[in-house]
Amino acid sequence: MSDTNFSGPHVSTAFLCEKILIERDGVPSFIRVANRFTVPVFSGQAPPGVQIPQQIIQTTLVISLISGDLGGGKQNIKVRMQKPDHSYMSEQSLPVFFNGGDDQGALVALPIVLASPEEGLYWFDVSLEGVPLTRIPMRVLHQPAVLQFQQPPGEQ
């Protein structure tokens, strides 16, 4: 490779995780990094008065950038989620601040909540000031599940 002019910003990390812990010294720990989620899909009729719980995926999108020669100052990160049918959900814009210096960075943690997600491959498109940086995949799998109810005593 003859061109080594990597100007920045640089993607240090980009993934989904369940939880972020910020230790006393300010260093983050990422718990349960995953990009595949299995959602139970219930079949059958629920008894009267019993509601089938809505299935929800809760995760956090983590993006860590290193400024390179971008310098210091406020920038805007945009995240767009592409659904399995290739349509896009609304985008989110998040301000980040770079302190300046080639090795300084910014960490973004965006909570993601999907209610009754459709099965398939989702993509999170990440850009900084309109320049595409990366895509993060998320696979949702549906697992058939059966509703089982126990009759109250005396109603059998």
Side-chain angles (χ1 to χ4, degrees), residues 77-94:
I77 289 181
K78 288 189 180 174
V79 177
R80 289 179 52 194
M81 185 174 74
Q82 184 183 50
K83 297 180 348 182
D85 67 2
H86 301 287
S87 66
Y88 281 91
M89 297 181 77
S90 62
E91 72 181 18
Q92 299 231 350
S93 184
L94 307 160

Side-chain angles (χ1 to χ4, degrees), residues 13 15 20 22 28 30 62-65 77 96-97 105-109:
T13 57
F15 56 86
I20 301 172
I22 305 296
F30 305 102
V62 176
I63 305 158
S64 176
L65 301 175
I77 289 181
V96 294
F97 187 83
L107 179 69
V108 174

Side-chain angles (χ1 to χ4, degrees), residues 5-155:
N5 185 18
F6 298 113
S7 60
H10 310 291
V11 177
S12 177
T13 57
F15 56 86
L16 298 165
C17 72
E18 184 177 302
K19 184 184 291 189
I20 301 172
L21 303 176
I22 305 296
E23 307 297 337
R24 279 185 251 147
D25 60 358
V27 175
S29 294
F30 305 102
I31 311 303
R32 295 182 51 87
V33 174
N35 65 354
R36 295 175 79 88
F37 298 86
T38 301
V39 176
V41 176
F42 295 100
S43 62
Q45 189 75 18
V50 175
Q51 289 187 342
I52 298 173
Q54 184 179 38
Q55 300 307 307
I56 296 174
I57 292 176
Q58 291 184 307
T59 189
T60 301
L61 178 65
V62 176
I63 305 158
S64 176
L65 301 175
I66 304 299
S67 63
D69 67 1
L70 183 65
K74 185 176 133 186
Q75 302 283 329
N76 289 306
I77 289 181
K78 288 189 180 174
V79 177
R80 289 179 52 194
M81 185 174 74
Q82 184 183 50
K83 297 180 348 182
D85 67 2
H86 301 287
S87 66
Y88 281 91
M89 297 181 77
S90 62
E91 72 181 18
Q92 299 231 350
S93 184
L94 307 160
V96 294
F97 187 83
F98 292 99
N99 289 327
D102 294 352
D103 62 346
Q104 296 296 307
L107 179 69
V108 174
L110 178 64
I112 305 293
V113 177
L114 285 177
S116 301
E118 61 186 274
E119 187 172 43
L121 182 61
Y122 292 75
W123 286 98
F124 295 94
D125 296 340
V126 180
S127 62
L128 183 76
E129 297 297 337
V131 177
L133 294 178
T134 192
R135 298 184 94 197
I136 300 108
M138 181 180 79
R139 172 73 66 181
V140 174
L141 303 169
H142 284 178
Q143 174 73 43
V146 177
L147 292 173
Q148 294 187 9
F149 295 96
Q150 185 175 9
Q151 292 286 345
E155 291 188 22

